[in-house]
Amino acid sequence: MLLNKMRRKLLLGNWKMNKLASEAREFALASKPLAELAKKNNIDLGVAPTYLSLAATKEAASKDMIVAAQNVHFNPSGAFTGEVSIPMLQEFGIDWVIIGHSERRAYDNETNQKCHDKMKALFANHMVPVYCVGETLQEFEEGRTKEVVGRQIREGLEGFTAEECKDLVVAYEPVWSIGTGKNASSEIAQDICKFVRETLRELIGDTADKIRVLYGGSVKPVNVKEYLSCPDVDGALVGGASLKIDSYEELLRNIL
Ligand code: PGA
């Protein structure tokens, strides 16, 4: 419990392929008092807009607001049509990146190996990956959650030192709960987030106690508090409920 209190809570909105840059900017301006409120309460608050909205969001938001990218390429430049590199993000002051979101794993062939390569490049640039892991419905029903999540953690983080991983954030997002309204029970969230931390401990020792592990998947203002009251759940990665400023504000107020 004491260790849990050492980890700052984190509420991160994942906007996916939503919002024009103008809408992102409007949200960012409206979120300024929320960033202040979060800071006062020792909570890290952030959003992950599309690439095209990153600059507008970063410029309009409070400097205390985390503005994360949803993806990045592991090469600094080159013949990779359609990709965006770390230096391109850094030029806009972006130093957080979501890695391995289940939608990218499903639609863009984002393997554990690719996630590993991206995180290696992020660590080398002192940036923060939010590494997403989680099982599909079939894997869940077959009782294979820990096998799948354990492999995602081990393969994704293979060979990294505790020092490299010190700012890492992991998000446990059961695929069957994302955007479905079928959220995992807080018992499941706690059990798997604890398992994530135990697996991290095998890889990086006691640094695992400093790593924030988030739950994601149909997190709403009504259930966010229950998740965050679990000892191993340090925050939430929120899709749908992070899109409207009112609901985003409610999420924050409910975990103060
Ligand atoms: P959701 O999405 O909150 O809409 O379920 C979560 C996510 O994909 O990060």
Side-chain angles (χ1 to χ4, degrees):
M1 223 34 212
L2 196 65
L3 286 171
N4 190 29
K5 289 197 180 124
M6 275 169 44
R7 299 188 291 266
R8 273 169 80 91
K9 288 183 205 166
L10 169 60
L11 180 64
L12 185 62
N14 173 13
W15 287 349
K16 311 189 180 188
M17 198 175 71
N18 291 293
K19 289 194 189 295
L20 303 177
S22 52
E23 294 165 336
R25 185 169 187 280
E26 201 178 308
F27 185 110
L29 287 172
S31 73
K32 279 188 162 173
L34 303 183
E36 210 169 295
L37 182 63
K39 192 181 180 189
K40 265 197 215 135
N41 287 277
N42 283 321
I43 296 174
D44 285 337
L45 187 67
V47 287
T50 66
Y51 282 142
L52 284 173
S53 297
L54 281 173
T57 307
K58 185 76 184 168
E59 193 192 74
S62 155
K63 65 170 178 28
D64 295 315
M65 185 86 163
I66 295 163
V67 180
Q70 298 175 15
N71 181 35
V72 76
H73 197 273
F74 49 83
N75 271 300
S77 63
F80 301 101
T81 301
E83 298 288 346
V84 167
S85 73
I86 287 175
M88 292 167 189
L89 295 180
Q90 286 178 320
E91 188 179 18
F92 289 94
I94 305 299
D95 47 17
W96 282 58
V97 185
I98 295 175
I99 296 293
H101 189 278
S102 67
E103 286 146 19
R104 295 202 55 82
R105 288 181 187 266
Y107 311 133
D108 296 280
N109 191 29
E110 191 114 329
T111 59
N112 292 336
Q113 180 62 48
K114 266 198 199 166
C115 293
H116 177 274
D117 294 346
K118 292 178 181 196
M119 287 193 279
K120 188 171 180 173
L122 289 172
F123 290 143
N125 284 280
H126 308 288
M127 290 171 68
V128 180
V130 179
Y131 181 41
C132 300
V133 296
E135 80 287 6
T136 62
L137 180 60
Q138 190 184 345
E139 290 160 345
F140 174 72
E141 286 174 346
E142 290 170 359
R144 295 173 51 214
T145 299
K146 290 185 180 173
E147 172 203 324
V148 171
V149 170
R151 189 172 343 107
Q152 289 169 330
I153 297 278
R154 282 172 210 287
E155 292 183 3
L157 299 175
E158 194 187 342
F160 295 141
T161 64
E163 175 60 22
E164 282 175 303
C165 293
K166 67 181 188 327
D167 294 323
L168 169 74
V169 174
V170 177
Y172 166 56
E173 299 202 301
V175 178
W176 48 271
S177 75
I178 295 177
T180 57
K182 272 207 275 173
N183 52 306
S185 66
S186 56
E187 288 76 19
I188 294 179
Q190 164 57 20
D191 184 38
I192 305 304
C193 289
K194 180 164 179 257
F195 169 76
V196 165
R197 196 176 311 285
E198 283 162 0
T199 310
L200 288 170
R201 193 183 312 282
E202 287 168 26
L203 299 174
I204 55 170
D206 288 346
T207 301
D209 290 322
K210 300 199 181 110
I211 306 287
R212 287 180 287 184
V213 182
L214 316 181
Y215 169 75
S218 297
V219 175
K220 308 284 176 219
V222 319
N223 59 27
V224 68
K225 190 173 178 170
E226 193 182 338
Y227 288 118
L228 267 84
S229 60
C230 300
D232 283 287
V233 179
D234 305 313
L237 182 57
V238 187
S242 75
L243 287 170
K244 293 217 165 73
I245 190 76
D246 291 354
S247 155
Y248 187 75
E249 172 165 2
E250 242 189 290
L251 285 164
L252 173 63
R253 290 197 183 276
N254 289 352
I255 60 166
L256 292 181

